[in-house]
């Protein structure tokens, strides 16, 4: 695996690095040893991109950035580093310059939009009793409960942060659409993936949490990207 890029996984809203657990295991089974998962503060796009850049900068050699959900916006912003060789989007935002996750969301409101609730400190939560049906309806209720209780809420203002220079315009990319996504409208995922000039786009019959419900297919797409970049 020495010629394969290091894989850096970037989580989204309402979860942390552990959302990648099943994908990490699948990549490990495929022989990957250089895998890292960023833990972001979810306080602003600038903060999250900076945290990601710092992890990328610590890696020796080429890096493949993989973003889920809002993590797609982060890799779009942070993927300009010279050692980033590619981008993989997993049911993710891939904004253009001047676009924000919130602005894209407004174009086609997702099914679960009414289940978001701000608190008095400015954090935006996914209602715990609606988490399973909204985020991960194809996981077990037990898994949904754990995700709901351990969810990591973003500052609501992060939704409005805009991309400056999208890395996907310069770096090869791959995209996975979740056709049963209730957090990002599938229409928005189709639109974003179609303008990437992606090397490959796959559609899974999956929830927003495809990284947890379909880890075999998600890891296979990451592996395909890593293999293409190392050849």
């Amino acid at each position: 695996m020495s010629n394969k890029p290091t894989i850096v996984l970037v989580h989204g809203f309402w979860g942390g690095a552990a959302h990648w657990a099943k994908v990490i295991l699948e990549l490990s089974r495929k022989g990957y040893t250089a895998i890292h998962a960023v833990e972001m503060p979810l306080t602003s796009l600038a903060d999250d991109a900076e945290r990601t850049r710092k992890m990328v900068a610590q890696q020796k050699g080429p890096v493949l950035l993989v973003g889920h959900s809002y993590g797609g916006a982060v890799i779009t912003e942070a993927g300009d580093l010279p050692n980033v060789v590619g981008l993989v989007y997993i049911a993710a935002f891939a904004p253009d310059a001047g676009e924000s996750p919130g602005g894209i969301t407004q174009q086609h409101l997702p099914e679960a939009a009414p289940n978001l609730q701000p608190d008095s400190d400015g954090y935006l939560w996914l209602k715990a009793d609606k988490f399973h049906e909204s985020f991960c309806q194809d996981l077990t209720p037990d898994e949904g409960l754990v995700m709901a209780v351990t969810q990591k809420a973003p500052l609501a203002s992060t939704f409005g942060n805009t991309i400056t220079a999208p890395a996907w315009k310069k770096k090869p990319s791959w995209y996975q659409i979740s056709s049963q996504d209730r957090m990002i409208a599938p229409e928005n995922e189709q639109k974003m993936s179609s303008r990437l000039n992606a090397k490959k786009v796959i559609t899974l019959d999956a929830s927003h949490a495809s990284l947890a419900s379909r880890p075999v297919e998600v890891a296979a797409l990451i592996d395909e990207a890593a293999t293409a970049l190392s050849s």
Side-chain angles (χ1 to χ4, degrees):
M1 308 299 290
S2 57
N3 61 336
K4 295 273 182 80
T6 294
I7 295 170
V8 173
L9 305 165
V10 184
H11 66 82
F13 290 152
W14 304 294
H19 270 194
W20 291 104
K22 294 180 184 178
V23 170
I24 291 165
L25 293 174
E26 289 298 330
L27 290 171
S28 177
R29 290 186 189 110
K30 290 179 181 294
Y32 288 88
T33 54
I35 311 168
H36 299 272
V38 185
E39 189 70 52
M40 299 186 297
L42 302 184
T43 44
S44 71
L45 180 60
D47 292 345
D48 298 330
E50 180 62 18
R51 182 71 204 91
T52 302
R53 283 192 183 102
K54 283 180 173 173
M55 181 169 274
V56 170
Q58 293 292 326
Q59 310 310 318
K60 293 178 175 66
V63 169
L64 175 62
L65 276 177
V66 185
H68 173 245
S69 188
Y70 160 77
V74 176
I75 69 172
T76 298
E77 186 72 10
D80 55 352
L81 291 174
N83 61 328
V84 173
V85 292
L87 310 165
V88 182
Y89 293 87
I90 305 300
F93 288 107
D96 205 342
E99 288 184 343
S100 67
I104 292 169
T105 298
Q106 291 299 321
Q107 293 171 15
H108 290 281
L109 271 181
E111 198 176 321
N115 299 335
L116 298 176
Q117 192 168 43
D119 68 13
S120 58
D121 292 317
Y123 290 89
L124 192 62
W125 297 84
L126 184 49
K127 294 176 186 174
D129 62 339
K130 302 286 188 184
F131 197 101
H132 183 234
E133 67 183 67
S134 302
F135 195 95
C136 54
Q137 71 272 18
D138 51 358
L139 293 177
T140 67
D142 284 354
E143 288 175 299
L145 174 63
V146 171
M147 278 190 168
V149 172
T150 61
Q151 68 175 291
K152 186 172 184 175
L155 277 176
S157 55
T158 307
F159 265 98
N161 296 164
T162 56
I163 297 293
T164 51
W168 52 259
K169 292 195 171 176
K170 296 179 179 176
K171 309 281 172 99
S173 62
W174 288 256
Y175 196 104
Q176 178 258 309
I177 297 168
S178 284
S179 64
Q180 304 300 320
D181 202 319
R182 297 173 183 173
M183 298 301 298
I184 301 177
E187 296 94 328
N188 281 336
E189 293 180 11
Q190 288 158 3
K191 179 184 175 184
M192 289 184 284
S193 63
S194 66
R195 67 185 181 187
L196 288 178
N197 193 27
K199 299 288 186 186
K200 186 171 186 176
V201 178
I202 66 168
T203 300
L204 298 178
D205 182 22
S207 71
H208 187 58
S210 54
L211 76 177
S213 65
R214 303 293 289 273
V216 172
E217 293 92 334
V218 169
L221 183 65
I222 297 168
D223 177 48
E224 189 173 323
T227 302
L229 292 166
S230 63
S231 60

